[in-house]
Amino acid sequence: MSKSTPASTVLVTGGGSGIGAGLAAAFHARGAKVIIAGRTRERLVAVAAKHRGMEIEVVDVADPDEVGALAARISTGFPTLDTVINNAGIQTQFDFTRAEAADPSLLGREVDVNLKGLIFVANAFLPLLKRQSNARLIHIGSGLGYVPLASVPVYSATKAAVHSFTISLRRQLADSSVHIVEIIPPVVETDLHRSQSLKPPRAMKLDAFIAAAMAGLDAGRTEIPVGLAKVLRITSRIAPGLFLNIVNKRRG
């Protein structure tokens, strides 16, 4: 989907806050019909209240039945859907050096939302997207998919898997009408980190990130690393050990 072919109808998962809400607002400002989806109705309502005409859908992306039902509703109510932004995600710090084991339910939940949920959404919505003459499936990755942050090992692993899945999907659908895109943020100032005692250093302002991401989409790029993620993309190949140490430098 090129700059001359703007999105007409957009679904954003994890649209109740952070990057999802920011991208939803950007597409809404351009005149697209925007549907935001997420687990918490109150968050969705608060975002939609700021943007007249924005729709909301409550869904847990980790539940394939709920995702399938959402796809059925969207297919009926918004048959011209041409853009899906697969953004829902959670991040938890896990310390495997502790004497006690980590809570398996928390470990599993992060994998379920960040990876399985993204795959469920892609699987459920690709049939609708393939009906359009020009469509996009956009995955939100992370610079930590290139170089992991040891304090969030499960998050980093899921984002590496998202990157791999996106590459495979792009290869499979190369001859279709659906463009497979990955936006790869650095650390961005959002409430993704609300459970952590310290805010991550060198976090990018959300508005600046959204502007850069939209510029990449306008340019028709299929892989859009932003800010420090550009550095991690390159250095993960040429000096992986060095930047693994830099990313995981102890903070005093």
PDB file of all heavy atoms in Angstrom, residues 100-132:
ATOM      1  N   GLU A 100      13.370 -19.448  43.806  1.00  0.00           N
ATOM      2  CA  GLU A 100      12.059 -19.976  43.460  1.00  0.00           C
ATOM      3  C   GLU A 100      11.821 -19.867  41.949  1.00  0.00           C
ATOM      4  O   GLU A 100      12.366 -18.990  41.281  1.00  0.00           O
ATOM      5  CB  GLU A 100      10.946 -19.252  44.222  1.00  0.00           C
ATOM      6  CG  GLU A 100      10.726 -17.798  43.829  1.00  0.00           C
ATOM      7  CD  GLU A 100      11.668 -16.828  44.506  1.00  0.00           C
ATOM      8  OE1 GLU A 100      12.628 -17.277  45.166  1.00  0.00           O
ATOM      9  OE2 GLU A 100      11.455 -15.605  44.346  1.00  0.00           O
ATOM     10  N   ALA A 101      11.001 -20.769  41.430  1.00  0.00           N
ATOM     11  CA  ALA A 101      10.663 -20.744  40.013  1.00  0.00           C
ATOM     12  C   ALA A 101       9.723 -19.575  39.710  1.00  0.00           C
ATOM     13  O   ALA A 101       8.943 -19.148  40.568  1.00  0.00           O
ATOM     14  CB  ALA A 101      10.000 -22.058  39.611  1.00  0.00           C
ATOM     15  N   ALA A 102       9.814 -19.081  38.505  1.00  0.00           N
ATOM     16  CA  ALA A 102       8.883 -18.044  38.055  1.00  0.00           C
ATOM     17  C   ALA A 102       7.483 -18.645  37.929  1.00  0.00           C
ATOM     18  O   ALA A 102       7.318 -19.861  37.760  1.00  0.00           O
ATOM     19  CB  ALA A 102       9.343 -17.469  36.718  1.00  0.00           C
ATOM     20  N   ASP A 103       6.494 -17.797  38.020  1.00  0.00           N
ATOM     21  CA  ASP A 103       5.106 -18.232  37.908  1.00  0.00           C
ATOM     22  C   ASP A 103       4.831 -18.704  36.477  1.00  0.00           C
ATOM     23  O   ASP A 103       4.865 -17.901  35.543  1.00  0.00           O
ATOM     24  CB  ASP A 103       4.186 -17.059  38.269  1.00  0.00           C
ATOM     25  CG  ASP A 103       2.716 -17.440  38.299  1.00  0.00           C
ATOM     26  OD1 ASP A 103       2.345 -18.467  37.677  1.00  0.00           O
ATOM     27  OD2 ASP A 103       1.933 -16.700  38.916  1.00  0.00           O
ATOM     28  N   PRO A 104       4.549 -19.980  36.266  1.00  0.00           N
ATOM     29  CA  PRO A 104       4.331 -20.474  34.907  1.00  0.00           C
ATOM     30  C   PRO A 104       3.180 -19.783  34.194  1.00  0.00           C
ATOM     31  O   PRO A 104       3.218 -19.623  32.968  1.00  0.00           O
ATOM     32  CB  PRO A 104       4.023 -21.968  35.120  1.00  0.00           C
ATOM     33  CG  PRO A 104       4.619 -22.301  36.432  1.00  0.00           C
ATOM     34  CD  PRO A 104       4.482 -21.060  37.271  1.00  0.00           C
ATOM     35  N   SER A 105       2.170 -19.363  34.944  1.00  0.00           N
ATOM     36  CA  SER A 105       1.033 -18.700  34.299  1.00  0.00           C
ATOM     37  C   SER A 105       1.446 -17.358  33.707  1.00  0.00           C
ATOM     38  O   SER A 105       0.951 -16.960  32.634  1.00  0.00           O
ATOM     39  CB  SER A 105      -0.117 -18.509  35.290  1.00  0.00           C
ATOM     40  OG  SER A 105       0.241 -17.617  36.337  1.00  0.00           O
ATOM     41  N   LEU A 106       2.361 -16.650  34.385  1.00  0.00           N
ATOM     42  CA  LEU A 106       2.847 -15.382  33.846  1.00  0.00           C
ATOM     43  C   LEU A 106       3.753 -15.603  32.642  1.00  0.00           C
ATOM     44  O   LEU A 106       3.690 -14.859  31.657  1.00  0.00           O
ATOM     45  CB  LEU A 106       3.600 -14.607  34.935  1.00  0.00           C
ATOM     46  CG  LEU A 106       2.781 -14.133  36.129  1.00  0.00           C
ATOM     47  CD1 LEU A 106       3.670 -13.394  37.132  1.00  0.00           C
ATOM     48  CD2 LEU A 106       1.637 -13.228  35.677  1.00  0.00           C
ATOM     49  N   LEU A 107       4.583 -16.625  32.714  1.00  0.00           N
ATOM     50  CA  LEU A 107       5.436 -16.957  31.574  1.00  0.00           C
ATOM     51  C   LEU A 107       4.579 -17.285  30.346  1.00  0.00           C
ATOM     52  O   LEU A 107       4.816 -16.775  29.244  1.00  0.00           O
ATOM     53  CB  LEU A 107       6.323 -18.155  31.915  1.00  0.00           C
ATOM     54  CG  LEU A 107       7.359 -17.986  33.019  1.00  0.00           C
ATOM     55  CD1 LEU A 107       7.976 -19.334  33.368  1.00  0.00           C
ATOM     56  CD2 LEU A 107       8.446 -17.001  32.598  1.00  0.00           C
ATOM     57  N   GLY A 108       3.592 -18.134  30.584  1.00  0.00           N
ATOM     58  CA  GLY A 108       2.746 -18.550  29.472  1.00  0.00           C
ATOM     59  C   GLY A 108       1.909 -17.429  28.909  1.00  0.00           C
ATOM     60  O   GLY A 108       1.703 -17.342  27.691  1.00  0.00           O
ATOM     61  N   ARG A 109       1.443 -16.556  29.802  1.00  0.00           N
ATOM     62  CA  ARG A 109       0.595 -15.452  29.341  1.00  0.00           C
ATOM     63  C   ARG A 109       1.364 -14.541  28.386  1.00  0.00           C
ATOM     64  O   ARG A 109       0.823 -14.081  27.379  1.00  0.00           O
ATOM     65  CB  ARG A 109       0.090 -14.648  30.547  1.00  0.00           C
ATOM     66  CG  ARG A 109      -0.804 -13.461  30.205  1.00  0.00           C
ATOM     67  CD  ARG A 109      -2.099 -13.896  29.551  1.00  0.00           C
ATOM     68  NE  ARG A 109      -2.886 -12.748  29.138  1.00  0.00           N
ATOM     69  CZ  ARG A 109      -3.958 -12.818  28.357  1.00  0.00           C
ATOM     70  NH1 ARG A 109      -4.361 -13.998  27.897  1.00  0.00           N
ATOM     71  NH2 ARG A 109      -4.623 -11.741  28.018  1.00  0.00           N
ATOM     72  N   GLU A 110       2.635 -14.296  28.677  1.00  0.00           N
ATOM     73  CA  GLU A 110       3.409 -13.404  27.813  1.00  0.00           C
ATOM     74  C   GLU A 110       3.600 -14.013  26.430  1.00  0.00           C
ATOM     75  O   GLU A 110       3.490 -13.321  25.412  1.00  0.00           O
ATOM     76  CB  GLU A 110       4.755 -13.080  28.462  1.00  0.00           C
ATOM     77  CG  GLU A 110       5.471 -11.929  27.812  1.00  0.00           C
ATOM     78  CD  GLU A 110       6.284 -11.096  28.796  1.00  0.00           C
ATOM     79  OE1 GLU A 110       6.018 -11.155  30.011  1.00  0.00           O
ATOM     80  OE2 GLU A 110       7.161 -10.371  28.332  1.00  0.00           O
ATOM     81  N   VAL A 111       3.866 -15.306  26.390  1.00  0.00           N
ATOM     82  CA  VAL A 111       3.983 -15.992  25.098  1.00  0.00           C
ATOM     83  C   VAL A 111       2.634 -16.010  24.375  1.00  0.00           C
ATOM     84  O   VAL A 111       2.558 -15.781  23.161  1.00  0.00           O
ATOM     85  CB  VAL A 111       4.506 -17.429  25.291  1.00  0.00           C
ATOM     86  CG1 VAL A 111       4.519 -18.188  23.961  1.00  0.00           C
ATOM     87  CG2 VAL A 111       5.905 -17.418  25.889  1.00  0.00           C
ATOM     88  N   ASP A 112       1.566 -16.240  25.127  1.00  0.00           N
ATOM     89  CA  ASP A 112       0.228 -16.304  24.535  1.00  0.00           C
ATOM     90  C   ASP A 112      -0.172 -14.988  23.884  1.00  0.00           C
ATOM     91  O   ASP A 112      -0.741 -14.971  22.787  1.00  0.00           O
ATOM     92  CB  ASP A 112      -0.807 -16.677  25.600  1.00  0.00           C
ATOM     93  CG  ASP A 112      -0.710 -18.131  26.030  1.00  0.00           C
ATOM     94  OD1 ASP A 112      -0.023 -18.912  25.339  1.00  0.00           O
ATOM     95  OD2 ASP A 112      -1.303 -18.483  27.067  1.00  0.00           O
ATOM     96  N   VAL A 113       0.098 -13.879  24.555  1.00  0.00           N
ATOM     97  CA  VAL A 113      -0.300 -12.570  24.021  1.00  0.00           C
ATOM     98  C   VAL A 113       0.646 -12.118  22.906  1.00  0.00           C
ATOM     99  O   VAL A 113       0.209 -11.768  21.804  1.00  0.00           O
ATOM    100  CB  VAL A 113      -0.350 -11.513  25.144  1.00  0.00           C
ATOM    101  CG1 VAL A 113      -0.600 -10.120  24.554  1.00  0.00           C
ATOM    102  CG2 VAL A 113      -1.432 -11.863  26.161  1.00  0.00           C
ATOM    103  N   ASN A 114       1.939 -12.135  23.196  1.00  0.00           N
ATOM    104  CA  ASN A 114       2.906 -11.518  22.283  1.00  0.00           C
ATOM    105  C   ASN A 114       3.142 -12.306  21.010  1.00  0.00           C
ATOM    106  O   ASN A 114       3.397 -11.716  19.956  1.00  0.00           O
ATOM    107  CB  ASN A 114       4.250 -11.330  22.994  1.00  0.00           C
ATOM    108  CG  ASN A 114       4.182 -10.336  24.126  1.00  0.00           C
ATOM    109  OD1 ASN A 114       3.130  -9.780  24.430  1.00  0.00           O
ATOM    110  ND2 ASN A 114       5.307 -10.118  24.783  1.00  0.00           N
ATOM    111  N   LEU A 115       3.101 -13.612  21.108  1.00  0.00           N
ATOM    112  CA  LEU A 115       3.407 -14.446  19.930  1.00  0.00           C
ATOM    113  C   LEU A 115       2.182 -15.180  19.405  1.00  0.00           C
ATOM    114  O   LEU A 115       1.775 -14.973  18.267  1.00  0.00           O
ATOM    115  CB  LEU A 115       4.519 -15.436  20.266  1.00  0.00           C
ATOM    116  CG  LEU A 115       4.922 -16.382  19.117  1.00  0.00           C
ATOM    117  CD1 LEU A 115       5.358 -15.601  17.886  1.00  0.00           C
ATOM    118  CD2 LEU A 115       6.011 -17.345  19.572  1.00  0.00           C
ATOM    119  N   LYS A 116       1.577 -16.018  20.252  1.00  0.00           N
ATOM    120  CA  LYS A 116       0.428 -16.777  19.776  1.00  0.00           C
ATOM    121  C   LYS A 116      -0.713 -15.848  19.378  1.00  0.00           C
ATOM    122  O   LYS A 116      -1.379 -16.071  18.359  1.00  0.00           O
ATOM    123  CB  LYS A 116      -0.026 -17.770  20.842  1.00  0.00           C
ATOM    124  CG  LYS A 116       0.961 -18.901  21.062  1.00  0.00           C
ATOM    125  CD  LYS A 116       0.645 -19.727  22.293  1.00  0.00           C
ATOM    126  CE  LYS A 116      -0.628 -20.504  22.161  1.00  0.00           C
ATOM    127  NZ  LYS A 116      -0.859 -21.388  23.341  1.00  0.00           N
ATOM    128  N   GLY A 117      -0.937 -14.782  20.160  1.00  0.00           N
ATOM    129  CA  GLY A 117      -1.998 -13.842  19.822  1.00  0.00           C
ATOM    130  C   GLY A 117      -1.774 -13.182  18.480  1.00  0.00           C
ATOM    131  O   GLY A 117      -2.695 -13.023  17.670  1.00  0.00           O
ATOM    132  N   LEU A 118      -0.536 -12.778  18.214  1.00  0.00           N
ATOM    133  CA  LEU A 118      -0.201 -12.163  16.929  1.00  0.00           C
ATOM    134  C   LEU A 118      -0.454 -13.140  15.787  1.00  0.00           C
ATOM    135  O   LEU A 118      -1.006 -12.770  14.739  1.00  0.00           O
ATOM    136  CB  LEU A 118       1.252 -11.703  16.954  1.00  0.00           C
ATOM    137  CG  LEU A 118       1.808 -11.063  15.681  1.00  0.00           C
ATOM    138  CD1 LEU A 118       2.645  -9.825  16.013  1.00  0.00           C
ATOM    139  CD2 LEU A 118       2.656 -12.057  14.894  1.00  0.00           C
ATOM    140  N   ILE A 119      -0.073 -14.407  15.991  1.00  0.00           N
ATOM    141  CA  ILE A 119      -0.299 -15.411  14.951  1.00  0.00           C
ATOM    142  C   ILE A 119      -1.792 -15.673  14.759  1.00  0.00           C
ATOM    143  O   ILE A 119      -2.272 -15.798  13.624  1.00  0.00           O
ATOM    144  CB  ILE A 119       0.451 -16.713  15.300  1.00  0.00           C
ATOM    145  CG1 ILE A 119       1.967 -16.465  15.259  1.00  0.00           C
ATOM    146  CG2 ILE A 119       0.067 -17.835  14.340  1.00  0.00           C
ATOM    147  CD1 ILE A 119       2.800 -17.627  15.776  1.00  0.00           C
ATOM    148  N   PHE A 120      -2.546 -15.736  15.853  1.00  0.00           N
ATOM    149  CA  PHE A 120      -3.990 -15.944  15.750  1.00  0.00           C
ATOM    150  C   PHE A 120      -4.651 -14.816  14.945  1.00  0.00           C
ATOM    151  O   PHE A 120      -5.523 -15.064  14.105  1.00  0.00           O
ATOM    152  CB  PHE A 120      -4.631 -16.010  17.141  1.00  0.00           C
ATOM    153  CG  PHE A 120      -4.259 -17.220  17.948  1.00  0.00           C
ATOM    154  CD1 PHE A 120      -4.299 -17.162  19.346  1.00  0.00           C
ATOM    155  CD2 PHE A 120      -3.881 -18.416  17.359  1.00  0.00           C
ATOM    156  CE1 PHE A 120      -3.972 -18.278  20.116  1.00  0.00           C
ATOM    157  CE2 PHE A 120      -3.548 -19.524  18.116  1.00  0.00           C
ATOM    158  CZ  PHE A 120      -3.589 -19.456  19.500  1.00  0.00           C
ATOM    159  N   VAL A 121      -4.247 -13.573  15.224  1.00  0.00           N
ATOM    160  CA  VAL A 121      -4.832 -12.427  14.510  1.00  0.00           C
ATOM    161  C   VAL A 121      -4.469 -12.479  13.025  1.00  0.00           C
ATOM    162  O   VAL A 121      -5.326 -12.278  12.153  1.00  0.00           O
ATOM    163  CB  VAL A 121      -4.379 -11.100  15.146  1.00  0.00           C
ATOM    164  CG1 VAL A 121      -4.774  -9.909  14.279  1.00  0.00           C
ATOM    165  CG2 VAL A 121      -4.985 -10.947  16.547  1.00  0.00           C
ATOM    166  N   ALA A 122      -3.209 -12.750  12.725  1.00  0.00           N
ATOM    167  CA  ALA A 122      -2.795 -12.852  11.325  1.00  0.00           C
ATOM    168  C   ALA A 122      -3.604 -13.927  10.611  1.00  0.00           C
ATOM    169  O   ALA A 122      -4.133 -13.720   9.504  1.00  0.00           O
ATOM    170  CB  ALA A 122      -1.304 -13.152  11.241  1.00  0.00           C
ATOM    171  N   ASN A 123      -3.714 -15.089  11.230  1.00  0.00           N
ATOM    172  CA  ASN A 123      -4.431 -16.211  10.629  1.00  0.00           C
ATOM    173  C   ASN A 123      -5.902 -15.879  10.389  1.00  0.00           C
ATOM    174  O   ASN A 123      -6.462 -16.198   9.331  1.00  0.00           O
ATOM    175  CB  ASN A 123      -4.316 -17.428  11.546  1.00  0.00           C
ATOM    176  CG  ASN A 123      -5.047 -18.639  11.018  1.00  0.00           C
ATOM    177  OD1 ASN A 123      -4.779 -19.109   9.920  1.00  0.00           O
ATOM    178  ND2 ASN A 123      -5.977 -19.162  11.808  1.00  0.00           N
ATOM    179  N   ALA A 124      -6.533 -15.241  11.359  1.00  0.00           N
ATOM    180  CA  ALA A 124      -7.970 -14.970  11.263  1.00  0.00           C
ATOM    181  C   ALA A 124      -8.304 -13.879  10.253  1.00  0.00           C
ATOM    182  O   ALA A 124      -9.358 -13.926   9.611  1.00  0.00           O
ATOM    183  CB  ALA A 124      -8.514 -14.585  12.643  1.00  0.00           C
ATOM    184  N   PHE A 125      -7.403 -12.885  10.110  1.00  0.00           N
ATOM    185  CA  PHE A 125      -7.732 -11.734   9.265  1.00  0.00           C
ATOM    186  C   PHE A 125      -7.149 -11.794   7.857  1.00  0.00           C
ATOM    187  O   PHE A 125      -7.586 -11.029   6.994  1.00  0.00           O
ATOM    188  CB  PHE A 125      -7.314 -10.437   9.956  1.00  0.00           C
ATOM    189  CG  PHE A 125      -8.292 -10.001  11.008  1.00  0.00           C
ATOM    190  CD1 PHE A 125      -8.141 -10.403  12.324  1.00  0.00           C
ATOM    191  CD2 PHE A 125      -9.392  -9.230  10.673  1.00  0.00           C
ATOM    192  CE1 PHE A 125      -9.056 -10.028  13.300  1.00  0.00           C
ATOM    193  CE2 PHE A 125     -10.326  -8.844  11.632  1.00  0.00           C
ATOM    194  CZ  PHE A 125     -10.155  -9.251  12.953  1.00  0.00           C
ATOM    195  N   LEU A 126      -6.212 -12.671   7.609  1.00  0.00           N
ATOM    196  CA  LEU A 126      -5.652 -12.735   6.255  1.00  0.00           C
ATOM    197  C   LEU A 126      -6.699 -13.056   5.185  1.00  0.00           C
ATOM    198  O   LEU A 126      -6.647 -12.478   4.092  1.00  0.00           O
ATOM    199  CB  LEU A 126      -4.491 -13.727   6.196  1.00  0.00           C
ATOM    200  CG  LEU A 126      -3.146 -13.136   6.620  1.00  0.00           C
ATOM    201  CD1 LEU A 126      -2.098 -14.229   6.782  1.00  0.00           C
ATOM    202  CD2 LEU A 126      -2.674 -12.090   5.609  1.00  0.00           C
ATOM    203  N   PRO A 127      -7.665 -13.946   5.440  1.00  0.00           N
ATOM    204  CA  PRO A 127      -8.675 -14.176   4.395  1.00  0.00           C
ATOM    205  C   PRO A 127      -9.408 -12.907   3.980  1.00  0.00           C
ATOM    206  O   PRO A 127      -9.664 -12.694   2.777  1.00  0.00           O
ATOM    207  CB  PRO A 127      -9.622 -15.189   5.047  1.00  0.00           C
ATOM    208  CG  PRO A 127      -8.743 -15.952   5.993  1.00  0.00           C
ATOM    209  CD  PRO A 127      -7.807 -14.905   6.560  1.00  0.00           C
ATOM    210  N   LEU A 128      -9.750 -12.047   4.947  1.00  0.00           N
ATOM    211  CA  LEU A 128     -10.419 -10.786   4.618  1.00  0.00           C
ATOM    212  C   LEU A 128      -9.469  -9.837   3.895  1.00  0.00           C
ATOM    213  O   LEU A 128      -9.840  -9.208   2.895  1.00  0.00           O
ATOM    214  CB  LEU A 128     -10.961 -10.128   5.885  1.00  0.00           C
ATOM    215  CG  LEU A 128     -11.635  -8.764   5.724  1.00  0.00           C
ATOM    216  CD1 LEU A 128     -12.780  -8.822   4.711  1.00  0.00           C
ATOM    217  CD2 LEU A 128     -12.123  -8.244   7.064  1.00  0.00           C
ATOM    218  N   LEU A 129      -8.249  -9.732   4.389  1.00  0.00           N
ATOM    219  CA  LEU A 129      -7.288  -8.833   3.756  1.00  0.00           C
ATOM    220  C   LEU A 129      -7.011  -9.247   2.307  1.00  0.00           C
ATOM    221  O   LEU A 129      -6.838  -8.395   1.425  1.00  0.00           O
ATOM    222  CB  LEU A 129      -5.981  -8.804   4.555  1.00  0.00           C
ATOM    223  CG  LEU A 129      -6.052  -8.151   5.940  1.00  0.00           C
ATOM    224  CD1 LEU A 129      -4.722  -8.305   6.654  1.00  0.00           C
ATOM    225  CD2 LEU A 129      -6.432  -6.675   5.840  1.00  0.00           C
ATOM    226  N   LYS A 130      -6.981 -10.550   2.048  1.00  0.00           N
ATOM    227  CA  LYS A 130      -6.683 -11.024   0.692  1.00  0.00           C
ATOM    228  C   LYS A 130      -7.808 -10.738  -0.293  1.00  0.00           C
ATOM    229  O   LYS A 130      -7.601 -10.816  -1.503  1.00  0.00           O
ATOM    230  CB  LYS A 130      -6.360 -12.521   0.722  1.00  0.00           C
ATOM    231  CG  LYS A 130      -4.966 -12.810   1.288  1.00  0.00           C
ATOM    232  CD  LYS A 130      -4.585 -14.276   1.185  1.00  0.00           C
ATOM    233  CE  LYS A 130      -5.282 -15.108   2.227  1.00  0.00           C
ATOM    234  NZ  LYS A 130      -4.739 -16.501   2.291  1.00  0.00           N
ATOM    235  N   ARG A 131      -8.988 -10.384   0.226  1.00  0.00           N
ATOM    236  CA  ARG A 131     -10.091 -10.006  -0.665  1.00  0.00           C
ATOM    237  C   ARG A 131      -9.926  -8.590  -1.208  1.00  0.00           C
ATOM    238  O   ARG A 131     -10.584  -8.198  -2.168  1.00  0.00           O
ATOM    239  CB  ARG A 131     -11.425 -10.097   0.080  1.00  0.00           C
ATOM    240  CG  ARG A 131     -11.835 -11.495   0.463  1.00  0.00           C
ATOM    241  CD  ARG A 131     -13.136 -11.477   1.247  1.00  0.00           C
ATOM    242  NE  ARG A 131     -13.245 -12.651   2.108  1.00  0.00           N
ATOM    243  CZ  ARG A 131     -13.990 -12.706   3.191  1.00  0.00           C
ATOM    244  NH1 ARG A 131     -14.695 -11.643   3.555  1.00  0.00           N
ATOM    245  NH2 ARG A 131     -14.034 -13.817   3.912  1.00  0.00           N
ATOM    246  N   GLN A 132      -9.069  -7.792  -0.560  1.00  0.00           N
ATOM    247  CA  GLN A 132      -8.870  -6.407  -0.985  1.00  0.00           C
ATOM    248  C   GLN A 132      -7.834  -6.362  -2.110  1.00  0.00           C
ATOM    249  O   GLN A 132      -6.955  -7.207  -2.192  1.00  0.00           O
ATOM    250  CB  GLN A 132      -8.402  -5.551   0.188  1.00  0.00           C
ATOM    251  CG  GLN A 132      -9.148  -5.777   1.497  1.00  0.00           C
ATOM    252  CD  GLN A 132     -10.657  -5.622   1.388  1.00  0.00           C
ATOM    253  OE1 GLN A 132     -11.163  -4.901   0.548  1.00  0.00           O
ATOM    254  NE2 GLN A 132     -11.388  -6.311   2.259  1.00  0.00           N
TER     255      GLN A 132
END
